[in-house]
Amino acid sequence: MDRDEILIKNVLDGNADSFSILVQCYQNQLYKFLYKLTMSKEDTEDILQEVFIRVYNNLYKYSSRWSFSTWLYSIAVNVFKSHYRKKKYDEHNNIHPEELDVLTCSIIDYPEVAYEIKEQRVLIVQLINSLKSDQKIALILKHVQGFSYKEIADILDVSPEAAKMKVQRAKQIILKKYDQLKGRGVYNEVFVQR
Amino acid sequence: MKCSYSAEDLIRYTEGLMCDAEKDELKKHLDICESCRSRLGILKLTEDHLKEDVSNNETMYLKVMGAIDKDRYLRKKSKYKLGAFVARMAPFIKPSAAVILILVLSLVAVTQRQHISNVMSSLGEVFSKHDNLIKDDENKNNKNSKFFTAESVTELAKGQPPGGWVLSGDSNIKDMERQVKLKFYVKPDSDPSSSKNETGEVIAYLHDCNELYDLGLVVSF
Ligand SMILES: [Zn+2]
């Protein structure tokens, strides 16, 4: 039995403290995943809280046939989707400027490039936000957590080929939208950093 | 300048799927093609943005622990253990198998209806949600079984038939990759199909290929 399985068994035996350890093991990576999806701290915290409560209430249905982390992420994806069904579409697509300040705080020490990098970031976030929900989720799973296509497939309940296709489509659409924006002269060039 | 590289080519490059020769050729091309440079830049920036760590206050677990029902698994331990067992099996069992299982058990369970009902209500609960395992527990409607309504109190444990008891019959409860069987063992010399004895007992087990799980005495006649 691995660490997660032991903790889960403890929880099902009535030891709730073991659940606290599980949460601490996964809270940071799930936070990062949900934050990249929502680009909002507030939404991320709301969703994350609900994810862990659902995980706890449904833990007895978890089967070690699946990896615990894919099970966890599939719940996170479901909670994310239902959360945003409740919200207005507009809100979803808006980027909150204060969130981007948080994002770029690591480069604020270099004011001469900070502005340019922030511009790039706004562009990237807009491009990602222009994707369909499933493409966006697949892309983020691929790069935030480095999941394999098989794992992404398990999380999204599709075939590995379909998971791969979603990630590829996401990237193609990002490039296409970028070309369109560039064609309209909206953005300056973004050069390869080698 | 005309450029022969497609978005797919550039994506293959960023995913490390190009062979060395292809890579070298593309690298040379990048020196002269501004369009590919900037498109590649976008792909790389996208990955970088997604990979970049995000700070959070790391106290989520305190909020979560304050919000959950800590006694949940203490109170109904056996119910959830049975649920856990069946959840483990559920992916192998087609929903129609649940119907067959209910029919079989409803025929067999003449005297021990209550006991079977405990098992079945848990089974039914899982089968009915088989396609939606992670649906919110609070939204469930698991009291709609035609046959049984009892709350589960039974723990499904590994077991072996008593010495001398013989396999009277088994019922395949369908799976795609693995055998899951319902097995009925009868008391010596009391098999209703062959013995002339007027009385007998039947114990049912679930068999998941490796182990027998005791469903208990289902018939005594
Ligand atoms: Zn080119």
Side-chain angles (χ1 to χ4, degrees):
Chain A
M1 272 209 269
D2 66 10
R3 178 201 70 192
D4 291 350
E5 280 181 61
I6 292 166
L7 290 170
I8 291 163
K9 190 178 171 300
N10 287 345
V11 177
L12 294 179
D13 281 339
N15 177 358
D17 287 341
S18 287
F19 191 68
S20 170
I21 300 172
L22 268 181
V23 175
Q24 287 173 72
C25 290
Y26 284 99
Q27 63 180 4
N28 286 355
Q29 53 168 282
L30 274 177
Y31 187 99
K32 183 173 160 187
F33 167 64
L34 290 168
Y35 183 76
K36 303 290 174 170
L37 267 176
T38 62
M39 292 307 289
S40 152
K41 275 183 178 270
E42 198 190 328
D43 288 348
T44 297
E45 284 178 19
D46 289 351
I47 295 171
L48 192 52
Q49 163 107 350
E50 199 186 326
V51 169
F52 280 125
I53 290 170
R54 261 198 224 191
V55 166
Y56 181 75
N57 287 343
N58 291 282
L59 198 61
Y60 71 101
K61 292 180 212 155
Y62 166 70
S63 154
S64 57
R65 190 194 317 290
W66 312 301
S67 103
F68 182 64
S69 104
T70 45
W71 190 70
L72 202 58
Y73 275 85
S74 71
I75 292 179
V77 166
N78 282 6
V79 177
F80 163 76
K81 284 183 178 171
S82 62
H83 191 86
Y84 274 100
R85 266 196 296 272
K86 287 180 216 149
K87 285 200 155 200
K88 281 210 305 257
Y89 180 73
D90 280 1
E91 264 181 275
H92 185 178
N93 264 4
N94 273 354
I95 301 164
H96 308 286
E98 68 276 13
E99 301 288 350
L100 283 167
D101 284 338
V102 177
L103 262 181
T104 51
C105 62
S106 55
I107 47 101
I108 236 70
D109 298 339
Y110 306 93
E112 65 277 12
V113 291
Y115 178 77
E116 193 187 336
I117 290 178
K118 187 166 172 174
E119 282 289 288
Q120 287 178 349
R121 190 70 67 130
V122 171
L123 168 63
I124 296 297
V125 172
Q126 279 181 344
L127 290 172
I128 292 173
N129 265 352
S130 71
L131 299 172
K132 279 193 215 148
S133 178
D134 262 16
Q135 292 165 348
K136 180 170 156 178
I137 292 166
L139 180 74
I140 295 178
L141 286 169
K142 180 75 193 159
H143 291 298
V144 169
Q145 206 48 51
F147 279 122
S148 68
Y149 290 123
K150 170 77 176 71
E151 288 167 317
I152 297 172
D154 287 345
I155 293 168
L156 298 180
D157 197 18
V158 295
S159 69
E161 293 72 32
K164 185 173 181 185
M165 190 57 83
K166 282 181 202 294
V167 175
Q168 304 285 308
R169 275 305 284 160
K171 290 180 178 177
Q172 287 164 7
I173 288 167
I174 283 175
L175 287 181
K176 200 173 140 209
K177 299 256 170 172
Y178 169 67
D179 282 343
Q180 285 168 357
L181 289 173
K182 206 171 84 164
R184 298 209 304 263
V186 179
Y187 284 100
N188 294 326
E189 305 308 334
V190 183
F191 292 105
V192 179
Q193 310 153 346
R194 294 213 207 173
Chain B
M1 192 211 77
K2 196 89 178 122
C3 169
S4 60
Y5 284 97
S6 65
E8 290 72 28
D9 293 330
L10 298 176
I11 292 166
R12 270 191 331 116
Y13 175 74
T14 58
E15 297 200 340
L17 297 174
M18 276 189 171
C19 69
D20 287 348
E22 278 182 301
K23 262 190 272 181
D24 289 345
E25 202 177 311
L26 176 61
K27 276 179 189 159
K28 268 182 223 152
H29 173 75
L30 287 176
D31 288 337
I32 53 163
C33 182
E34 178 276 324
S35 162
C36 282
R37 271 205 308 272
S38 62
R39 285 190 293 163
L40 215 45
I42 284 293
L43 288 177
K44 189 165 183 331
L45 281 172
T46 303
E47 284 189 31
D48 288 349
H49 160 69
L50 294 178
K51 279 181 188 148
E52 189 178 68
D53 280 333
V54 182
S55 63
N56 70 83
N57 60 16
E58 303 192 8
T59 55
M60 178 51 73
Y61 71 96
L62 294 174
K63 277 171 82 180
V64 171
M65 294 312 284
I68 59 171
D69 169 13
K70 290 203 183 86
D71 292 334
R72 179 183 175 86
Y73 291 107
L74 265 185
R75 260 198 326 269
K76 290 185 178 175
K77 220 177 196 172
S78 54
K79 175 182 170 180
Y80 289 118
K81 277 202 172 158
L82 177 58
F85 166 76
V86 179
R88 204 153 49 82
M89 312 258 285
F92 292 134
I93 304 171
K94 287 183 175 167
S96 61
V99 177
I100 294 165
L101 185 58
I102 286 172
L103 285 174
V104 169
L105 286 180
S106 65
L107 288 172
V108 183
V110 188
T111 56
Q112 294 286 321
R113 182 164 291 245
Q114 186 56 41
H115 175 71
I116 294 288
S117 79
N118 296 333
V119 176
M120 286 313 298
S121 65
S122 297
L123 285 173
E125 181 185 325
V126 175
F127 284 126
S128 68
K129 290 191 297 179
H130 167 236
D131 292 329
N132 203 355
L133 280 173
I134 47 183
K135 205 171 190 176
D136 203 351
D137 204 39
E138 274 64 48
N139 297 336
K140 74 186 172 199
N141 178 16
N142 64 326
K143 302 263 197 273
N144 56 358
S145 164
K146 269 188 200 165
F147 300 100
F148 310 113
T149 56
E151 273 283 296
S152 171
V153 289
T154 321
E155 187 165 343
L156 212 52
K158 285 177 196 169
Q160 282 295 323
W165 287 52
V166 288
L167 185 64
S168 156
D170 57 13
S171 170
N172 240 323
I173 52 174
K174 196 60 196 167
D175 67 58
M176 285 170 293
E177 297 151 49
R178 209 172 65 162
Q179 294 283 43
V180 182
K181 280 186 173 174
L182 191 62
K183 291 193 168 181
F184 299 102
Y185 282 84
V186 293
K187 202 175 181 175
D189 302 322
S190 72
D191 191 337
S193 59
S194 59
S195 157
K196 290 190 177 70
N197 274 0
E198 296 288 338
T199 61
E201 285 172 5
V202 179
I203 299 178
Y205 295 88
L206 265 183
H207 188 226
D208 75 345
C209 207
N210 299 311
E211 303 280 356
L212 285 175
Y213 293 87
D214 195 348
L215 292 175
L217 190 68
V218 289
V219 184
S220 75
F221 49 91

